Amino acid sequence: MALKIISNPGLVDRKKWEAFVIEHPDGSVFQLPEMFDVHEQARYQRPSGWFAFEGDRLVGLMVSVTFWNAIFPLSLFTRRQVVFGGPLVADNDMGILLALLESLVKDTGRKAVFSEIRNLRLGLSLKPIFEEAGFYYDSHLSVGIDMSRKSGDLWASLAPSRRENIQKMSAARHTIRDMHGVEDTHKVWEILRCYIGRKGRPVPDLSLFQAVDRSPLLHSHLRIKGMEMDGELKAVILVLIVKNRSIVWFDGHCLSDDEFWMYDGFLWGVIQELQSEGIRYLDLGTGGKPGKDYFARQYKKSYGGMIKETGRYIYVHNWLLWGLGKVFYRWYKKTRRFIFRNYCQS
């Protein structure tokens, strides 16, 4: 039966779409129709989707988000298309995968400087297919925690300094609670805005988190946890969940260097709650590139985390803007770090 690719999500049965993602072993929240809606409502980003059909049967899909900076001419260099979690295809059919990739390349054109597919698992076996479509492989690491272990074994896997800080936290007056509603949403965004900005990275617009607060995702596939000290919000974590697997989407804090030990108690509290819900794996996110020292990787590993290579596939649509953008981005990060570290107040 002939394969048909549909690039208009409005023509796809949302129940079929959601069921395909949930039932696929590599399915994640990033590919769900509810997440597509969230990105569609946020400023400075635009979601796209490609859906492969054999007759009436959905056999593959890929969802991307195009991001850009709000200010011209920065928007010229910052137009980037990201596929979180990669394409999903039935029965590991390489023909379907190639058709989806070629559709992405064809439809993107000048809409983005480059496209990046961020895998949640190692995809080296798919490298020939990606290369045939014009992508190249970029080695990248992530860190995850196996929470299928007993609580005692998970505790024993923590670094001594983590256990010490967590025990110390038990004597501190703090509250970990769910964050929702207009006021909480703004507080969460303020924490993330300063935390991400101080690292020099682009900060998602407030509208993204407002869309999240209105979304059914908040009730079924998303946990937003905040840690308060004496009624003041100090740290937040947003965790996405599908079945018994989870991934940290955003996290941040406004703790001083002297207070950072408190974050250990917060993260451990969230881990314990997820484990009590039957979550068997928590992806803590990026671990940087192999061969380069990365503090965040070592910190995540100290929670009993396992380092794995997930890799990314990149397609450059405009090599001139790509080259100029890489030079510009180094300057951009330094400028943002200076501004946020000196003037941002959480």
Side-chain angles (χ1 to χ4, degrees):
M1 189 174 293
L3 186 70
K4 179 174 64 175
I5 304 293
I6 295 177
S7 58
N8 183 351
L11 301 178
V12 179
D13 185 304
R14 292 173 72 90
K15 290 184 178 179
K16 283 186 178 181
W17 178 354
E18 183 171 6
F20 186 82
V21 174
I22 295 295
E23 294 168 8
H24 197 285
D26 296 324
S28 72
V29 181
F30 296 116
Q31 296 129 340
L32 288 173
E34 294 90 345
M35 181 61 87
F36 188 95
D37 295 340
V38 164
H39 287 297
E40 202 164 38
Q41 296 173 48
R43 300 176 66 192
Y44 313 124
Q45 50 186 269
R46 181 180 62 252
S48 301
W50 294 268
F51 305 83
F53 282 88
E54 289 181 345
D56 293 332
R57 179 176 173 240
L58 180 61
V59 293
L61 63 83
M62 178 169 56
V63 176
S64 75
V65 184
T66 300
F67 301 91
W68 63 89
N69 189 288
I71 304 172
F72 183 85
L74 304 185
S75 55
L76 291 176
F77 301 98
T78 58
R79 289 178 289 116
R80 58 205 181 278
Q81 180 172 231
V82 182
V83 177
F84 297 101
L88 302 179
V89 299
D91 306 319
N92 292 317
D93 191 308
M94 296 299 100
I96 298 173
L97 174 60
L98 182 60
L100 288 170
L101 294 174
E102 289 178 340
S103 296
L104 178 149
V105 171
K106 178 183 176 182
D107 294 346
T108 300
R110 298 180 180 180
K111 297 175 184 176
V113 175
F114 68 96
S115 295
E116 180 179 73
I117 295 179
R118 297 184 181 181
N119 303 317
L120 294 180
R121 66 178 180 85
L122 183 60
L124 282 179
S125 62
L126 306 177
K127 188 176 179 182
I129 303 299
F130 279 90
E131 289 180 342
E132 185 175 345
F135 289 77
Y136 72 86
Y137 181 77
D138 185 34
S139 187
H140 209 86
L141 305 174
S142 63
V143 184
I145 300 176
D146 176 10
M147 298 199 299
S148 63
R149 296 171 287 178
K150 296 179 180 178
S151 295
D153 295 335
L154 189 58
W155 173 259
S157 70
L158 270 60
S161 56
R162 300 284 83 77
R163 293 199 295 266
E164 180 182 345
N165 288 342
I166 292 168
Q167 290 172 330
K168 184 179 177 182
M169 188 66 172
S170 63
R173 297 180 60 182
H174 73 287
T175 302
I176 297 176
R177 68 176 181 88
D178 293 315
M179 307 295 291
H180 56 82
V182 175
E183 186 176 349
D184 279 353
T185 296
H186 197 275
K187 288 179 180 179
V188 167
W189 178 72
E190 283 289 346
I191 293 287
L192 294 175
R193 181 177 70 91
C194 290
Y195 181 77
I196 296 173
R198 288 185 181 118
K199 293 179 177 292
R201 302 202 307 265
V203 179
D205 189 72
L206 173 61
S207 58
L208 174 67
F209 302 98
Q210 291 171 330
V212 164
D213 188 58
R214 297 189 297 265
S215 171
L217 279 173
L218 191 61
H219 308 292
S220 53
H221 298 291
L222 175 62
R223 306 288 183 272
I224 305 178
K225 298 293 182 180
M227 180 186 73
E228 294 178 332
M229 308 290 296
D230 296 322
E232 181 180 356
L233 186 64
K234 290 289 189 177
V236 297
I237 294 179
L238 283 72
V239 181
L240 299 172
I241 300 171
V242 164
K243 292 182 286 191
N244 60 3
R245 298 178 66 85
S246 60
I247 181 171
V248 174
W249 188 24
F250 291 105
D251 66 317
H253 64 81
C254 60
L255 298 166
S256 66
D257 292 342
D258 293 336
E259 297 174 323
F260 182 70
W261 61 270
M262 298 178 185
Y263 191 83
D264 288 343
F266 173 46
L267 180 55
W268 178 247
V270 172
I271 289 173
Q272 284 190 305
E273 185 168 332
L274 292 173
Q275 191 179 40
S276 71
E277 293 182 25
I279 305 302
R280 300 175 63 84
Y281 186 81
L282 173 62
D283 189 328
L284 293 174
T286 182
K289 288 182 172 291
K292 292 185 178 181
D293 191 27
Y294 190 56
F295 169 77
R297 180 200 307 158
Q298 300 306 321
Y299 177 76
K300 294 170 184 177
K301 186 180 177 183
S302 70
Y303 268 88
M306 301 171 292
I307 297 175
K308 62 177 183 177
E309 180 166 357
T310 48
R312 296 175 178 179
Y313 286 101
I314 297 174
Y315 185 100
V316 179
H317 301 278
N318 189 316
W319 284 98
L320 175 60
L321 291 179
W322 165 264
L324 292 174
K326 291 177 76 172
V327 174
F328 156 76
Y329 189 63
R330 287 194 289 269
W331 169 84
Y332 173 82
K333 286 186 71 173
K334 290 180 180 179
T335 302
R336 290 183 67 84
R337 283 172 179 165
F338 175 80
I339 292 173
F340 276 89
R341 289 178 180 179
N342 286 278
Y343 301 109
C344 183
Q345 299 294 323
S346 296

